[in-house]
């Protein structure tokens, strides 16, 4: 088994590509060992000293390490070993009977803005999310109010130093181009 590794814009996160499907649909994120309990793979990754977060996409795994604890040359071999051991064991990525949790965070927007929100969601799905997934992360719509779009960054994008620039210069400009009523984009 050959696992490719890619740097992400977040220096604390590496993207691992095991050359196979990780999750056939949806995503999974664990920000601590307790959150990882629904996934044997996430549990194994959190056993690696210094790992503070994992994110699974369709065909990639993003792993975040703590700053200053260990550097990637020390952490990366153990992460690669945990991923390889997991896939060679044939165990599922998620524990038996575990479904991906539905995001229970309610979206907020005025019903009068329904068409604007539909366009925002379409732009996110078709233009933004594929690019963000390429960097080992995800971005989801949370709300729209008074010309401000509220988005949540996940995976490698969560806590990334360049995520503010991505939101301001990339996503905000894209939305403004198609939707003049959008004044600003904020991460929540």
């Amino acid at each position: 088994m050959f696992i490719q590794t890619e740097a992400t814009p977040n220096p604390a996160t590496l993207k691992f590509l095991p050359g196979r499907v990780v999750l056939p649909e949806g995503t999974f994120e664990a920000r601590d060992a307790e959150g990882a309990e629904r996934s044997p793979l996430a549990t194994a990754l959190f056993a690696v000293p210094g790992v503070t977060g994992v994110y699974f996409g369709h065909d990639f795994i993003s792993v975040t390490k703590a700053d200053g604890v260990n550097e990637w040359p020390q952490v990366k071999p153990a992460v690669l070993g945990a991923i390889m051991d997991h896939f060679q064991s044939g165990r599922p990525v998620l524990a038996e009977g575990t479904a991906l949790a539905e995001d229970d965070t309610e979206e907020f927007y005025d019903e009068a803005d329904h068409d604007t929100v539909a366009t925002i969601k379409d732009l996110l799905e078709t233009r933004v999310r594929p690019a963000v997934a390429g960097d080992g992360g995800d971005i989801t719509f949370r709300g729209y109010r008074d010309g401000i779009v509220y988005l949540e960054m996940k995976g490698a994008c969560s806590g990334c130093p360049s995520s503010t620039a991505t939101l301001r210069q990339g996503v905000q400009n894209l939305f403004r181009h198609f939707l003049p009523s959008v004044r600003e984009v904020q991460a929540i």
Side-chain angles (χ1 to χ4, degrees), residues 149-168:
V149 179
Y150 297 90
L151 303 172
E152 181 180 8
M153 307 295 275
K154 297 180 179 180
C157 299
S158 178
C160 175
S162 64
S163 66
T164 301
T166 299
L167 285 176
R168 297 266 185 246

Side-chain angles (χ1 to χ4, degrees), residues 69-147:
V69 175
N70 289 318
E71 296 306 316
W72 278 116
Q74 290 81 38
V75 177
K76 184 177 170 183
V79 169
L80 287 167
I83 294 170
M84 189 173 299
D85 288 348
H86 176 81
F87 282 112
Q88 288 180 340
S89 76
R91 290 178 292 166
V93 172
L94 297 177
E96 294 274 335
T98 300
L100 290 173
E102 292 296 319
D103 194 348
D104 59 1
T105 305
E106 283 193 40
E107 297 176 352
F108 58 90
Y109 60 90
D110 190 302
E111 192 58 39
D113 294 322
H114 178 75
D115 291 344
T116 299
V117 169
T119 302
I120 289 168
K121 287 180 176 183
D122 181 60
L123 290 169
L124 276 174
E125 199 61 37
T126 59
R127 298 188 183 212
V128 179
R129 288 186 79 207
V132 173
D135 285 338
D138 197 8
I139 187 169
T140 55
F141 175 81
R142 287 293 166 239
Y144 178 75
R145 183 178 297 132
D146 300 325

